[in-house]
Amino acid sequence: MGGLVTSHEAGLTVPDWPNSYGYNMFFFPVSKWIGGIFYEHTHRLVASGVGFLTSVLALWLYGKSSRPLLRWIGITFMVAGVALCPIFSTHVAENLSLAGIGLVGFAASFLWPNCEPSPKWLRILGVIAFFAVVTQGVLGGLRVTLLKDQIGIFHATLAQVYLLLMCAIALFLSDFWQNLPVRAQADLHRFRTLLIFATALILCQLMLGATMRHQHAGLSIPDFPAAYGKIWPATDAASLQRYNSNRVEVIGYAPITAFQIELQMAHRLMALAIFVTIGICAFRARREFGSRHWLSRLTLAWFGLILTQAFLGAATIWTNKSADIATAHVACGALCLVTGGLTSIIACRLLGAPIEEIQRAGKNELATLLPSSSISAR
């Protein structure tokens, strides 16, 4: 939804926050969801849903110990909502909504799952996810109220990091992670480093893409694979004047600058570096584990996503930045980051387990994994 907002240039179609045209966000009339307002307002509602579910997850990781906290939060919200009605008489709906949220929280404290808390490190990740989604919401609001494109870049980047964090928590809670076989192959530490490096490159690429999208200057370079018919376009004053005079785009885009052209060229070079790096990852996984190993298949699927991402990036240019294709390009970039991040996490556990985990695996398991000389030394 955030990609659709940016692709349709709908970022400021709702000019106020946290309200929507003076209405409480959740009571904004559906009849007014027209044009760009539909994308922007729906984005806010989806974001609210994500924030709610993240709050539930963070509390759920604490298990039954969350019940007292839920109870006191519910009581506090109910009292605050009722007490504020006489003070803010023009915001009765908002105050009643606050009291209603408190009532739901109070009732939930009696129905909360009677499960044991998750490990401390996992509970900490849940708390980090909660503060990340709160920060994300505040950044989105400040982007509207302060009219700062730079905030939008941080907003887009934090969204990617938050998505990776949530997928990592889902991985850690899965049976797959619990049953992941223990391995110890210290000679493959370079492969693990390569996976992490490739994932970091993708994150940097997404940051470059967010910077490009928030320039609001359309396509800085209208052709691909060439750039204004050259390998590297000229950025002198005369060339810039010629580029801007020949642009055929929607009226209202700002003139392109040398920085924007260089930024897009950096984006292309980074894409090439990612393509080569992940291709090497897929090749090394196949060589080390064989073609049927799931880690080989996962890196191959990752490489396939990169190919898809490259095609969508080219199609974005060929279609003069079609909103749907540009949004698919953003979504595929997020999938590339998540795939790389989870592959790196799994590989770090699979290929570099701590010594205490190796010892718990038992001598029979070690006999199939380590040279006999190593076992004798142990």
Side-chain angles (χ1 to χ4, degrees):
M1 290 307 303
L4 285 173
V5 169
T6 310
S7 298
H8 286 277
E9 298 291 337
L12 294 174
T13 51
V14 181
D16 52 340
W17 180 85
N19 291 331
S20 296
Y21 286 98
Y23 289 90
N24 180 290
M25 186 197 330
F26 302 105
F27 297 100
F28 187 57
V30 178
S31 60
K32 297 181 181 294
W33 297 17
I34 56 176
I37 296 175
F38 170 80
Y39 298 106
E40 171 65 5
H41 185 64
T42 306
H43 176 57
R44 294 185 180 190
L45 294 180
V46 172
S48 300
V50 171
F52 172 74
L53 293 176
T54 306
S55 303
V56 172
L57 174 64
L59 289 168
W60 202 318
L61 290 173
Y62 279 84
K64 58 186 178 182
S65 60
S66 294
R67 288 181 172 183
L69 179 62
L70 270 172
R71 196 163 299 148
W72 282 109
I73 290 177
I75 293 173
T76 302
F77 273 49
M78 285 190 293
V79 172
V82 174
L84 291 175
C85 283
I87 301 175
F88 299 100
S89 56
T90 58
H91 298 277
V92 175
E94 289 85 345
N95 296 332
L96 292 179
S97 298
L98 190 64
I101 293 173
L103 180 60
V104 171
F106 182 76
S109 67
F110 296 96
L111 304 173
W112 197 252
N114 190 29
C115 57
E116 293 298 323
S118 299
K120 182 178 179 180
W121 64 271
L122 201 50
R123 300 199 303 268
I124 292 174
L125 288 182
V127 173
I128 292 174
F130 171 77
F131 282 106
V133 78
V134 170
T135 304
Q136 176 73 348
V138 172
L139 285 176
L142 293 178
R143 167 66 184 91
V144 174
T145 58
L146 299 181
L147 303 177
K148 294 288 185 181
D149 289 333
Q150 296 85 345
I151 297 178
I153 298 171
F154 287 104
H155 183 62
T157 303
L158 181 57
Q160 304 286 355
V161 175
Y162 165 81
L163 174 63
L164 178 57
L165 174 60
M166 294 300 294
C167 290
I169 293 175
L171 171 66
F172 298 145
L173 291 171
S174 67
D175 291 336
F176 170 82
W177 180 261
Q178 303 300 326
N179 299 325
L180 194 65
V182 177
R183 295 292 185 268
Q185 299 184 32
D187 57 316
L188 291 177
H189 69 278
R190 291 184 179 178
F191 178 64
R192 299 194 302 270
T193 304
L194 184 63
L195 291 174
I196 297 172
F197 176 71
T199 304
L201 281 182
I202 293 176
L203 180 59
C204 293
Q205 178 75 328
L206 292 174
M207 294 172 66
L208 283 175
T211 304
M212 290 167 51
R213 289 168 64 83
H214 286 83
Q215 294 290 324
H216 301 290
L219 291 172
S220 302
I221 302 176
D223 53 337
F224 181 85
Y228 289 103
K230 300 179 180 180
I231 297 177
W232 192 276
T235 55
D236 57 275
S239 297
L240 289 175
Q241 184 176 5
R242 185 173 67 255
Y243 299 156
N244 283 305
S245 63
N246 292 333
R247 294 177 82 197
V248 182
E249 291 185 334
V250 179
I251 297 175
Y253 277 147
I256 57 175
T257 64
F259 170 76
Q260 291 167 345
I261 293 176
E262 292 166 355
L263 184 66
Q264 187 158 337
M265 290 304 298
H267 190 66
R268 294 186 180 189
L269 292 177
M270 183 72 80
L272 179 61
I274 291 171
F275 174 82
V276 173
T277 304
I278 298 179
I280 295 173
C281 289
F283 172 77
R284 284 212 57 188
R286 183 184 179 90
R287 187 182 67 179
E288 297 290 348
F289 308 106
S291 60
R292 293 190 176 184
H293 193 279
W294 61 265
L295 192 56
S296 301
R297 295 179 179 180
L298 189 56
T299 52
L300 185 61
W302 192 18
F303 185 66
L305 279 174
I306 294 300
L307 290 176
T308 304
Q309 177 72 343
F311 171 76
L312 289 172
T316 299
I317 297 174
W318 295 335
T319 60
N320 195 27
K321 206 175 180 181
S322 168
D324 294 337
I325 294 178
T327 303
H329 185 56
V330 174
C332 188
L335 287 177
C336 291
L337 177 67
V338 167
T339 304
L342 297 186
T343 303
S344 301
I345 293 172
I346 294 171
C348 286
R349 178 180 173 90
L350 185 65
L351 305 179
I355 186 64
E356 57 271 14
E357 291 192 20
I358 299 172
Q359 292 171 343
R360 286 199 298 269
K363 187 175 181 179
N364 292 335
E365 174 72 357
L366 289 175
T368 64
L369 304 176
L370 300 176
S372 57
S373 57
S374 299
I375 297 177
S376 300
R378 296 284 177 86

